[in-house]
Amino acid sequence: MSEIKILIDGQEVKTQGGQNLLEIILAAGIEMPHLCYQEQLRPYGGCGLCLVEIEGSRKLFRACSTSAEDGMSVITQSLRINSVRRQTLALLLSDHRGDCIAPCKNACPGGNDCQGYIGLIANGRYDEAISLIKETIPLPACIGRICPHPCQEACRRDLLEGTLHISHLKQFAADLDLAKDQPYLPKVETASGKKVAIVGAGPSGLSAAYFLAQKGHQIKIYEAMPKPGGMLRYGIPKYRLPREVLDKEIFLIEELGVEICCSQKLGQDIELEELRRKYDAVYIAVGAWKSSPLGCQGDDLPGILGGIEFLKQLELGCAPALGKKVAVVGGGNTAIDVARSAIRLGSDVTLVYRRSRAEMPAEPWEVNEAEEEGLNLRFLSAVSGVFEANGQAAGLRMQKMRLGAPDESGRPKPEPIPGQIEEQTFDNIIAAVGQQVSGEGLMGLALSPKKTIVADVKDFSTNLEGVFAGGDATNRGPGIAIEAIADGKNAAFVIDGYIRGEQRTFAKPFMVADANFSKDDLKSVPPCPSVPLQYQNPQSRVKDFSEIVLPYSEKEAQAEAFRCLECGCDALYSCRLLPLLRQYEAYEQNPGGSMHRRGLDLSHPLIRRDIDKCILCGLCVRVCSEKVGAMALDFMERGFDSQASPPFMQALAADADCISCGECVVYCPTGALSDRWPLGKTPPLAATQKAIVCPYCSEHCHMVGEYYGDWLLRVLPEGNERACSLGRYGLPLESNAASLDRLDKQEEMTLLRNIQGDLMRFNGEMPEFVGINDLISYLQNLRA
């Protein structure tokens, strides 16, 4: 073949004639998007992404189906090309139905991979589970206990028997790890020689320290209180978060080299300007430690306590003696914590709230638990004044309310009922109606009218160079602990970049989400009741501050984890479509028109078909016919209803031509086809690849094993080679033999039949297996 010369983006490239442009472009190391092209298969031109301009023509050409000619001048990037690519990707996305990540993970402010660690727990992979959890959360045993778990609110299992107890599963894995002689610690990079000061040892400051220390930076935390933990220690009662759990998790952060200096108050013991001089960066995470006033006549009388101050004094051992009758004003989680603590101190407690029970910001189960413990709930009562006796607050004047139209919060606005005011005497009044930032020691920082630190939401920067801020002290205001942890983690990413001279911002990456998911999508899901949480008896638990929720046993945790629907895509870390959607900002899902709703095909014991994710690239059809020669897949139907399917729209396992080689899975660019060997749960995980040799026959094929920790997830053929079902699935079957009893009889027979066929082809024998255990024994003997 004669040599030819072409220009690609102005660069001369010498090549052999007879090649298509895409081959030449890729060989030259030039980026070119494509989803339907594979070197071993005939060009198909289906995806329409490898577009180029050719000098002398007004048309756009598909590079994979355009032969190179001597003297050609080709352009691979232009506004016109990129515009068409974006439109093409939008069309692919318009009928691509599914979720890149599970709704639970998407709902978690910290981005914790709920589906991942739940799947690992289900399979008994507890070391891997805690490793995955701690990629995003440094305090999982604490958060598992106290988080109001927005992840659970998004759990689709709630459409059936009820949501998974996701937080309790996180707690299970974390407690198991803390009980070890050597709990999990992440790797720390080589020392950078850089120093970062963190002000505040609460969840945000501890989180920032945890992630910055892993990058090799020297971290010192300055904490105003006698012990670290922030609101986890001084704002969460012990019956919810035992202090020994908090101490253990903080100790592990110190084990990374983090130094924590307590009783160091900003503006009193240390100055911000001094920290700026001594450190390469400063992160401010001082929290919101001041209770908001009641905002009524008499709210400054002696005898009125702030909710935050009361909980702090309780932890310090200097809480004021409470009388018999105590009023707690507020409807949030702090109000409930205060009320339940006061009950444990022996008081008869009434909670006063201006809306109804349905509008309470507090978590419903916490309200129910408090009511079990004897809390009196007084709804639709707004405090209009505090009256006094002997110079002390002696009771509340309460305006009866009714609910009106929704306000800016979306909740019905309480409106006073004229003439309906009641008075009630109390020995103590505790205001738990909100939190504020004190503003002390923040000299030089730009503050909002509410004294919160003005920090950029994308990079946590303040008006002072090198000073960053996050958590409850910033202009986003007080939130839940997982939000503070997320701020610390994301700020650490930005600060690490700042120290290294890189400008970084944090933004949640685009993910495809199924907005039309409904109960109809779960018709084929078998029922699986929730494993309920166990509590101490209400009558006994109010006698002290011991933990009230009992942990899951191993059996209970695995049973609950197996309820997971695995909503997130199996191909999250291998998908070739998602990076292109992000690169070309093709984010509009289903721009008009309808989407198919075909559901899952789980008939094959080793291959999962999610045809609603298919983009009709044709790779599975072509590899099955051209490379494997099996003809198990083809294009069925026409036009909009076209799909890659076994002949006559059969289920895959029913097609006798399928030899379970899994090549269709290897080539699929999305999650339309994925491995489904019987591992119990198969969560998407960021795997590490290792070279292995197939041990089952004399061919000794070179393969690639994908591992998460010590767990073998799957085996792939090396390079452009192909593998039989023994090579692809033998080792994973062996390493997960304990999960094989979950196969039903039909799946078991299909699996045995396919592997028997491979044994006949490669080893010349057709052994008879009574069941799956015989197969495992046979595979082990082959390998030996």
Side-chain angles (χ1 to χ4, degrees):
M1 198 70 70
S2 60
E3 184 179 80
I4 62 172
K5 296 178 183 178
I6 64 173
L7 288 178
I8 303 177
D9 297 330
Q11 175 185 346
E12 185 178 88
V13 175
K14 297 178 182 179
T15 186
Q16 297 297 315
Q19 290 183 291
N20 65 57
L21 286 176
L22 183 56
E23 290 177 285
I24 300 167
I25 290 168
L26 295 177
I30 298 171
E31 181 184 339
M32 172 62 73
H34 61 91
L35 290 172
C36 68
Y37 175 79
Q38 283 290 338
E39 182 182 352
Q40 290 184 302
L41 306 177
R42 290 192 297 271
Y44 180 64
C47 70
L49 291 173
C50 62
L51 298 173
V52 295
E53 293 178 357
I54 297 177
E55 187 177 305
S57 175
R58 299 177 61 186
K59 291 172 54 181
L60 292 179
F61 294 83
R62 299 189 183 197
C64 66
S65 55
T66 303
S67 297
E69 296 179 7
D70 192 41
M72 260 186 181
S73 179
V74 178
I75 297 174
T76 65
Q77 296 282 345
S78 70
L79 290 176
R80 180 188 176 201
I81 291 172
N82 290 343
S83 175
V84 175
R85 285 176 183 161
R86 187 178 300 111
Q87 294 174 42
T88 300
L89 287 164
L91 284 172
L92 292 179
L93 187 58
S94 70
D95 197 30
H96 179 75
R97 187 169 183 262
D99 299 273
C100 291
I101 60 173
C104 52
K105 179 179 179 180
N106 192 46
C108 175
N112 205 206
D113 188 355
C114 309
Q115 180 183 342
Y117 72 74
I118 288 171
L120 290 165
I121 290 170
N123 290 302
R125 300 284 174 172
Y126 308 128
D127 290 347
E128 290 88 349
I130 195 63
S131 170
L132 180 61
I133 291 169
K134 285 205 162 187
E135 286 182 12
T136 49
I137 296 181
L139 303 162
C142 296
I143 290 300
R145 286 169 163 83
I146 60 97
C147 188
H149 43 64
C151 55
Q152 288 184 202
E153 304 301 318
C155 178
R156 287 179 178 156
R157 193 89 207 191
D158 199 34
L159 295 170
L160 299 175
E161 318 88 356
T163 178
L164 268 76
H165 292 297
I166 299 175
S167 284
H168 215 55
L169 290 170
K170 183 191 290 100
Q171 176 191 331
F172 165 80
D175 285 352
L176 209 61
D177 182 62
L178 289 179
K180 295 179 180 177
D181 292 335
Q182 294 183 318
Y184 170 79
L185 282 175
K187 292 180 180 179
V188 175
E189 296 178 10
T190 304
S192 67
K194 302 293 185 178
K195 299 190 298 181
V196 180
I198 295 174
V199 184
S204 189
L206 290 169
S207 180
Y210 173 83
F211 290 103
L212 284 168
Q214 291 177 56
K215 295 298 182 181
H217 307 311
Q218 185 180 338
I219 310 300
K220 190 169 185 177
I221 304 179
Y222 296 89
E223 166 57 43
M225 299 301 290
K227 290 184 178 181
M231 280 296 171
L232 296 177
R233 185 182 300 276
Y234 297 100
I236 303 292
K238 294 177 183 177
Y239 66 83
R240 289 180 60 200
L241 178 53
R243 298 305 181 247
E244 59 270 22
V245 174
L246 176 61
D247 290 337
K248 285 180 181 179
E249 294 207 308
I250 293 175
F251 174 75
L252 291 178
I253 294 174
E254 292 178 291
E255 285 286 276
L256 298 177
V258 174
E259 182 182 357
I260 303 177
C261 297
C262 292
S263 300
Q264 297 290 302
K265 190 172 184 179
L266 189 64
Q268 181 175 306
D269 303 293
I270 50 170
E271 297 294 338
L272 182 54
E273 279 307 308
E274 178 188 357
L275 297 180
R276 293 182 69 195
R277 288 193 300 269
K278 291 173 61 177
Y279 292 89
D280 297 288
V282 180
Y283 181 59
I284 308 292
V286 294
W289 287 76
K290 186 178 178 181
S291 295
S292 300
L294 290 174
C296 65
Q297 183 180 8
D299 68 354
D300 57 349
L301 284 170
I304 299 178
L305 302 172
I308 297 299
E309 288 76 13
F310 169 75
L311 291 172
K312 180 171 67 174
Q313 291 170 10
L314 182 64
E315 176 65 24
L316 292 170
C318 58
L322 298 180
K324 183 62 180 174
K325 293 178 63 180
V326 174
V328 176
V329 183
N333 290 322
T334 298
I336 295 296
D337 285 342
V338 168
R340 296 177 74 180
S341 296
I343 289 172
R344 282 161 172 76
L345 296 177
S347 298
D348 180 13
V349 183
T350 299
L351 186 135
V352 181
Y353 180 56
R354 62 184 184 143
R355 288 185 170 96
S356 72
R357 187 188 195 110
E359 285 76 44
M360 289 184 73
E363 304 305 324
W365 65 88
E366 296 245 32
V367 180
N368 294 338
E369 291 169 14
E371 202 168 19
E372 290 174 353
E373 295 169 1
L375 177 64
N376 305 304
L377 296 167
R378 181 172 180 138
F379 297 115
L380 292 170
S381 295
V383 176
S384 58
V386 181
F387 59 86
E388 65 176 294
N390 302 319
Q392 295 280 323
L396 295 175
R397 189 172 295 110
M398 292 169 284
Q399 167 70 58
K400 193 70 176 172
M401 310 295 283
R402 61 189 171 203
L403 297 179
D407 60 13
E408 61 276 2
S409 73
R411 296 175 295 169
K413 184 177 181 179
E415 299 172 346
I417 301 175
Q420 295 197 26
I421 297 178
E422 299 178 10
E423 291 187 352
Q424 187 172 349
T425 59
F426 293 101
D427 297 312
N428 300 94
I429 298 166
I430 304 177
V433 293
Q435 296 169 239
Q436 299 176 353
V437 179
S438 69
E440 296 177 10
L442 302 178
M443 296 294 293
L445 284 170
L447 303 181
S448 73
K450 293 183 178 181
K451 295 186 179 180
T452 57
I453 303 168
V454 178
D456 192 296
V457 295
K458 292 182 179 179
D459 64 8
F460 304 91
S461 61
T462 68
N463 62 302
L464 298 179
E465 178 68 25
V467 179
F468 303 82
D472 291 353
T474 61
N475 39 301
R476 74 160 171 80
I480 58 179
I482 188 61
E483 291 176 325
I485 284 176
D487 277 2
K489 178 193 70 171
N490 298 330
F493 168 76
V494 172
I495 293 169
D496 176 58
Y498 174 81
I499 290 172
R500 299 177 191 276
E502 304 170 10
Q503 187 171 3
R504 297 179 185 173
T505 58
F506 172 79
K508 206 170 182 177
F510 168 78
M511 296 285 183
V512 178
D514 188 354
N516 298 313
F517 193 93
S518 70
K519 191 173 182 178
D520 290 341
D521 293 294
L522 300 175
K523 288 178 180 177
S524 62
V525 176
C528 187
S530 173
V531 179
L533 303 184
Q534 300 296 322
Y535 295 81
Q536 288 191 46
N537 181 280
Q539 287 72 40
S540 61
R541 72 191 189 210
V542 296
K543 296 178 181 179
D544 57 32
F545 281 82
S546 60
E547 189 170 14
I548 69 170
V549 185
L550 305 180
Y552 272 151
S553 67
E554 183 176 357
K555 183 178 179 181
E556 289 172 330
Q558 285 201 14
E560 182 68 2
F562 264 104
R563 298 180 63 236
C564 178
L565 296 171
E566 298 189 282
C567 304
C569 183
D570 294 350
L572 175 62
Y573 295 101
S574 60
C575 180
R576 290 161 49 205
L577 173 62
L578 180 59
L580 293 177
L581 295 174
R582 291 172 177 171
Q583 179 182 349
Y584 291 94
E585 299 182 352
Y587 299 154
E588 187 177 2
Q589 291 179 248
N590 194 26
S594 59
M595 298 181 80
H596 283 107
R597 194 174 189 160
R598 301 183 177 109
L600 295 175
D601 173 10
L602 300 178
S603 61
H604 199 292
L606 301 174
I607 298 172
R608 167 190 173 114
R609 291 178 67 235
D610 189 350
I611 201 65
D612 289 337
K613 294 177 182 174
C614 179
I615 58 170
L616 297 175
C617 69
L619 283 172
C620 60
V621 173
R622 290 181 290 140
V623 73
C624 191
S625 61
E626 295 178 26
K627 186 177 178 183
V628 179
M631 300 296 291
L633 292 167
D634 203 347
F635 283 116
M636 298 287 113
E637 304 292 349
R638 293 182 179 228
F640 180 64
D641 293 324
S642 179
Q643 64 171 283
S645 167
F648 309 108
M649 307 292 286
Q650 297 179 78
L652 186 60
D655 191 302
D657 287 332
C658 179
I659 62 172
S660 301
C661 64
E663 284 293 292
C664 55
V665 175
V666 174
Y667 276 66
C668 181
T670 67
L673 291 162
S674 57
D675 287 317
R676 189 191 166 244
W677 57 82
L679 302 178
K681 294 294 180 183
T682 54
L685 298 166
T688 300
Q689 294 191 338
K690 298 178 184 178
I692 60 175
V693 176
C694 180
Y696 295 121
C697 77
S698 59
E699 295 289 326
H700 296 304
C701 296
H702 288 270
M703 311 283 284
V704 175
E706 290 196 341
Y707 291 83
Y708 187 78
D710 294 329
W711 188 26
L712 177 61
L713 298 174
R714 65 175 183 165
V715 173
L716 300 172
E718 184 182 65
N720 293 323
E721 301 301 316
R722 59 156 292 203
C724 65
S725 60
L726 266 178
R728 283 275 278 122
Y729 301 113
L731 287 173
L733 285 170
E734 277 195 66
S735 63
N736 295 276
S739 299
L740 297 179
D741 58 358
R742 299 186 179 94
L743 284 171
D744 64 33
K745 199 62 180 176
Q746 182 179 354
E747 289 177 328
E748 186 175 343
M749 289 300 101
T750 303
L751 177 59
L752 293 176
R753 184 196 69 200
N754 285 324
I755 289 186
Q756 280 175 324
D758 277 336
L759 289 170
M760 184 64 190
R761 279 193 295 274
F762 294 104
N763 288 352
E765 59 181 351
M766 179 74 83
E768 289 295 329
F769 301 121
V770 175
I772 210 73
N773 291 328
D774 281 358
L775 168 63
I776 296 299
S777 297
Y778 187 87
L779 291 176
Q780 290 170 342
N781 289 333
L782 276 181
R783 180 166 46 82

